[in-house]
Every structure is written in C-alpha cells, then in structure tokens.
Amino acid sequence: MGLILELTRIVQAAAEAATPEQQVNLIVDSIQQEMGVDVCSLYLAGDNADMVLVASHGLGRQAIGRTRLEAGKGLIGLVARTRHPLNIINPDAHPNFVHVPDIGEENYRSFCAVPLVRAGDTVGVLAVQCLEPRQLSPEEEAFLVTLSAQLALVVAAWSDWQAAGLTPPQIFHGVRGAPGIGMGIAQLCDDSDLFSVVDSPCIDPGSVTQEWHALLARVQDDVSREQSMLGSALSSEVTAIFDAYHMLLADPALVSGVERAIAAGRDLPSSLRSVVQHYADLFMAMDDPYLRARHEDIRHLGNRLYSSWRGTHASTHTHAPGTPLILVGNQVSVSDIAATPRDSLCGVVCLEGSSMSHTAILANALGIPAVMGIGRARAIAQGAQMIVDANLGNVLVNPAPGVETEYRRLAAQEQAVRGRLQDLRDKPAVTLDGERVTLYVNSGLLADLSPGLNAGAEGIGLYRTEIPFMVRDGFPSEEEQLNIYRHVLDAYRGKPVYLRVLDIGGDKALPYFPIREENPALGWRGIRFCLDNSPLLMTQVRAMLRADGGSGALSILLPMVSATRELLRFRELLSDALSQLQEEGHAVVRPRVGVMVEVPAAIAQLPLWREQIDFISIGTNDLSQYLLAVDRNNARVAASYDYFNPAVVREIARIADISKQLDLPVSVCGEMSSDPGAAILLIAMGIRTLSMSAAQLPRIKWLVQHLDLPTAQGLLDSVMLQSDSARIRTLLTDFLLEIDFPGLRAAARQ
Ligand code: PEP
Ligand code: MG
C-alpha cells in the first residue's frame, strides 16, 4: 500500500516538474529514497536506439549525459532490447556486462533494471543498484515495473514536444476553489508583495500618518468603484464581499495599528506589513480551516494597499475584448476579478490560497472555475494557453491539442449540467420515492450569505460566529454582534438559522485573549471556554435573541459539548438572558437549543440529554478527528483523517439510530454532507437534514432527486460490510457513476 501511494506521488510529481532535468532528477531521487537502494539511474533512448544516462542518484555526476550505451550493449542494452526486467546479483558475472569506466559501477553487487516502453518501443531503462548482494523482492521488482509503465508516458511526452519545437505541457495540482472547467490565456495579476517589504525608518511620522489616511481613503474609493462596476452585473452576489473589504479597511485594529507603528518610527510600507502580518498570522494559526482561510483576505487587502501606495494598481488587461482570460497570481484578489470584464473571465488560478478564501467565494458566486494553492514556485508565462479543471483541482498549461479538444467537449457538457442544476434552485430535494431532505448551507461571514441563497439553501444549518471576535481589538459589543446576526437572519428571513455560540479556544486564539496550552485540541475550547467566560457568552446570547426579535427563526448550536453540566449551565444562562431581555421590553422567544455531536463522549449521553436539547447536529469534522485520534490539520497524518473509516461511519449510524429512538431531530453539518457518496449513507441512515457548502448544494440536491431509499439502504448495507475506507469510496463512486452524477463521469475519464 505504501509503495502504491508512493508510486502515484512520484508519477504526479514528475508530471508537474517544471523542466525535463528537474523531472528526471526527481524520479531517480524519489525511487532511491523510497526503495532504500544505493543507486537509481535513468537511461533514455537516444538516436539509433542507444541508451543515454540522463539522471542518476548514486553514480558519478560527470557521467550524466555522457555515458551512452550502444543499442543492445551491456545490461541496460539487454533490458532495452528484450523489454524484460533483469533482477540479478553480481552483475559483473553476467555475460552481457560491459564495464563503463569512471562511473563507479563495479562496486555494486546487485542490479535490477526495467524497460520504459511506449507504444511497443523502448524509450528508456530504469535501473537500481545496491552495494549489498541482495536480489530485489518480487514486490520491489513489480513496483519498478508499474512505475516504469507510467513514467514511460511522462518522459515520452517531453521528447515529443521538444521534437515539435513547442513548449511542453505542464500540469499543476491544487484544490478546487469554485467548480467548473475554464479555458483561456494566462493573464498574470499584479503581485505586489507587501510581505517582502523590509523595515525602514520614517523621518516625519506626522506626514506619513497623513499619507496613510490618504491611502486608506483612496483604496476605499477604488473598492467602491470596483464594487459598482461588478454590481451592475451581479450586485447581490458580490456586495457582501466588498462590504467585508470596507469593514476591514475601516477596522480600528488596522487603522490605529498602522498609526502606532508609524509613530514608533517605521515608514508606511513596513508599518503596514507588520500590522497586516500580525493579523494574518493570527488567522493562519487557527485550526478551523474556514477561519484560517480568512488570513488570505487580510493579506489580499495588505497587498492591495501596498500596490496602491506604489501606484501600480491599475488594470493591465490589454487584450481584445472578449479574449478568454485566466487570471493567475499568488493571490488573485477580489479587485483583480472585478477589474476583468465578465465576458472575458474564464478562470482563476491562485498559487496560494485555499478553497475558503474570499477569492474562492467570489468565484463561486460568479460561477467562474477557480483552482487554489498550486504552489508558490510555479512559473506560468503571461499569455500561455491554459485549462483550469477546477472539478479536479488541476491546471494545465500549454495543453496538447488533443487534450484541448477533449476539454472543450467537457466544458460544453459542464455548461449543460450547470444549466440543469440552476433549474433545480427552487425545487425541493425529494427522493425518487418521495422522501423529503432539507438542505442548508454552512456560513460564517456576511459575504457568504448570497451564494447560499443563490444555491437554493433552505436555511443556514451552521453559522460560525467566531469571525467578528477575531478581527477586532477586543470582544465585540452586544450591539456590534446584534448588527451582524440581524443581517444574517434578515438575509434568510423566514428560514431557519442555526447560530453556533463562540467556538473559540485551542488554536483559534483571540488576539486579545491568548491561551497557551500543551494540548489545545483537548483544552479550553468550545462550550467549555464559553461557560468559563459567562459574561461573554451572555452578551452573545443576548445579541442572538435580540437579532431574532421573537421571530422563532433562531436555533442555537453548542459546540464541543461533552458533559451534562455544560448543558444545564447553558440553559440557566439562556433563561437569565430571556428574562433580562423581556424585562427590558425586547420581543424575544425561547430558541431551540441543540448540541454539535463532535466529542465522542456525547454519543452515549444523548439519551441523558433528551430533556435538555431540541435537536442535534453532527459535526463530522471534529467527530472524525476525535474518534480517530487524528489531527484534522496535520498534513503528516492527513491520509488517516478519513470520515469513510468504518469506525466513523458506524458511529454516525449509531447516532442516527439513537436520535430516532429518542425522536430527536438530527442533521449533519460537517464536510461529509458536501460529499455525494457520504450524503447517500447519511440519508440511508435516516438523516434528513444536511448542511453544506453553498457550492455543493445544487449537486447534492440533484443526488437526492435521483436516489431512492431502498437503493441508498442497499449501499449502506454493503458499506457496513467493508473494513476498508478505500473500498467504501469505490462502492459509492461506482454508484454515482452509474447514475451519472453531474460532472463525475467526465472527471473519472481524465
Ligand atoms: C465540525 O466539527 O464538523 C464542524 C462543523 O465544526 P467546525 O468545522 O467549525 O469545527
Ligand atoms: Mg467542530
């Protein structure tokens, strides 16, 4: 299993390398390391079918490019000619052995080589050698054979392109920011990098402070202008994002932070950098991926201010109107998107960034395919032909003509699918056999509200209230929170809204309330933190109740609950808040209160909590983390963080059963809801409310409409027999392919 994973990694990395030299070196280095051999060398067929040593880990560097074995000569020639692997010890005793001077081969006592064959021709030979006289195991040999079959394709592609005098194609992998396929030419965005600014002193803090205020005003004007440019086309989708930019620009933490840095003797760019960096770092350190993504908004804004200060912020699009453009930048900003004519904009590629950034949110709202985080070092040339396959998170630069044709066909198909899904917007999610499923969105920023509504969400199933707490210098007041929650409830007027109380603590630290802990994931967080800071919780609950204004749309979600006393204490506080507000003359009603089932200890206690709660919402992100003891944000153990692990699937089924017995409404608000395969299982388990990202909602609605309960149940039964998550995924994907889940067949063919 390890070798297979490694194989995929090596082939992918090789396909992505920027130059042929990097590619071949990466191949030999990775194989040497993974197999624990002393030498790995790659020979490629030259003119007259001779074999040229093009890369080696272990043999003398001077031999690379110079060592050339005539066709059929030596062990390498033998493998090339016979197209069969050779796996031997004491290679110098083999009749075909030829001594090649100066490369130090004579020291190695074992040898294994496999041919790279493409369309029946040997295009190269991959060889490994060890000092020890040990023959490679059949598994190791099979690994090399499998690898060589794939490498033959990768390596051959380079030579074809070079022979044709064309720029070779490149594929980069990132994450999906907004779905779809876009094709066009690369338009590089201004990448003013505030974060590379070095500290410089300022001589006259007074005039620099004035300059700072002028800069703020100028950028505020620019943002308003861009907002109105886009607004005429799509105002409701994008207004909130620009509002968030305005909010950040007016934030006292930014404005006075920079003033203080200037007063301390720094020039404007370095003052700006230190303040923006400070806030971006705070967000970056958070373990919640949504909140972590907010650091990108802050960095965008920092770069935006910096480029305006440098006078470089001007539209540089010089293409003929209607030229299809793919915006490419470290962090393509909201204003880059706004400044590009909508009929030209076909895709967005960010070298940095995550699927939760504002750029991704805006791309989603505008329906522009976006791929995020393809890596800093990727050089894409201005004007290069590009394909953005955001469904798979792939970016193709200078694609082969055949690939381009195939993508044009896929893009046309996609367009048709999108049209069909848009038609579903106002239709209910009902299974083929008449079972109603309620689809909500997850949200957490005012800018997210429109995409959810546009996707046809029936409410907000999870509103993460953390953000207003994090962008300030201190705890937001009741009035400030009231404004925010009112905005959310108003946007979804008449629809249910589940506001979660502050899920702070652990890595989600507040800048003005530092918490240092040995083991933050198991520490002072969620409801524990809230109850220990009850004045804070009281303020938040009062703001929530006042925002609801007695409409009854509000439900309150409690995060990370693990003990009965937490519920009892919250209920007491809620009753106090209600009486206070009633006495003050506010119209309020008791909201429904539920717990997030995230801590495994909650599961067994649900029957004990029946009288205290009105519903539960399964937070599969944390539940998976705590059931599997796998940090959800640690890349090293990412492969083990898997909600298809049978333990997670079984526990969720158990929660669904318990809630049925207790007649307790249950929903799922973790990422599992957005995954079509997982959604089938959740529905089969009896869960009828799913809360997910706005981008996925239309497809999940399509799924519900093409599913019947006996089929879902049959799949769940098969899944329950599996002991391996990979098998579970395959079962579900096969079914989704069978029903032609939108976009999946096209993705599977690539
Ligand atoms: C979860 O844990 O599944 C969840 C929805 O909450 P968050 O991702 O905000 O921790
Ligand atoms: Mg959680």
Side-chain angles (χ1 to χ4, degrees), residues 534-577:
S534 56
L536 196 74
L537 182 60
M538 176 59 95
T539 304
Q540 184 173 41
V541 169
R542 281 177 54 101
M544 287 178 175
L545 295 173
R546 286 178 61 196
D548 180 49
S551 76
L554 170 70
S555 296
I556 296 183
L557 258 176
L558 307 179
M560 308 290 299
V561 178
S562 62
T564 311
R565 70 173 183 289
E566 292 165 344
L567 280 176
L568 296 176
R569 283 177 62 196
F570 179 78
R571 288 180 67 90
E572 247 172 61
L573 182 139
L574 176 63
S575 298
D576 283 354

Side-chain angles (χ1 to χ4, degrees), residues 288 462 464 500 503 508 596 598 619-622 632 669-670:
D288 181 319
L462 165 65
R464 295 170 164 113
R500 179 170 73 184
D503 190 10
K508 283 189 228 164
M596 304 265 301
E598 301 178 286
T620 53
N621 305 340
D622 274 317
R632 67 194 250 190
C669 64

Side-chain angles (χ1 to χ4, degrees), residues 103-234:
I103 60 174
E105 258 193 320
E106 53 280 3
N107 301 328
Y108 299 98
R109 309 302 331 140
S110 67
F111 174 94
C112 179
V114 293
L116 271 60
V117 179
R118 188 205 184 200
D121 293 331
T122 305
V123 293
V125 172
L126 187 63
V128 297
Q129 292 165 279
C130 296
L131 288 167
E132 290 290 305
R134 77 164 176 101
Q135 200 163 5
L136 257 56
S137 69
E139 290 75 28
E140 287 174 310
E141 188 183 316
F143 171 70
L144 278 182
V145 169
T146 318
L147 186 58
S148 65
Q150 300 195 32
L151 288 180
L153 293 173
V154 174
V155 166
W158 282 106
S159 33
D160 287 356
W161 284 91
Q162 276 162 339
L166 298 170
T167 319
Q170 289 172 283
I171 296 190
F172 303 129
H173 303 286
V175 292
R176 172 160 86 171
I181 292 170
M183 304 172 75
I185 61 169
Q187 169 66 48
L188 305 188
C189 298
D190 167 36
D191 274 333
S192 292
D193 187 8
L194 173 67
F195 304 93
S196 57
V197 164
V198 289
D199 274 354
S200 306
C202 83
I203 296 156
D204 178 2
S207 70
V208 176
T209 306
Q210 276 176 7
E211 198 188 342
W212 165 228
H213 287 281
L215 175 67
L216 269 175
R218 191 163 68 240
V219 172
Q220 262 157 353
D221 283 353
D222 286 351
V223 172
S224 301
R225 195 159 18 82
E226 283 157 6
Q227 179 171 6
S228 59
M229 268 172 70
L230 258 186
S232 60
L234 265 162

Side-chain angles (χ1 to χ4, degrees), residues 267-283:
D267 74 347
L268 181 47
S270 43
S271 300
L272 187 59
R273 193 214 65 229
S274 69
V275 174
V276 170
Q277 185 79 60
H278 171 72
Y279 284 100
D281 287 350
L282 285 174
F283 276 85

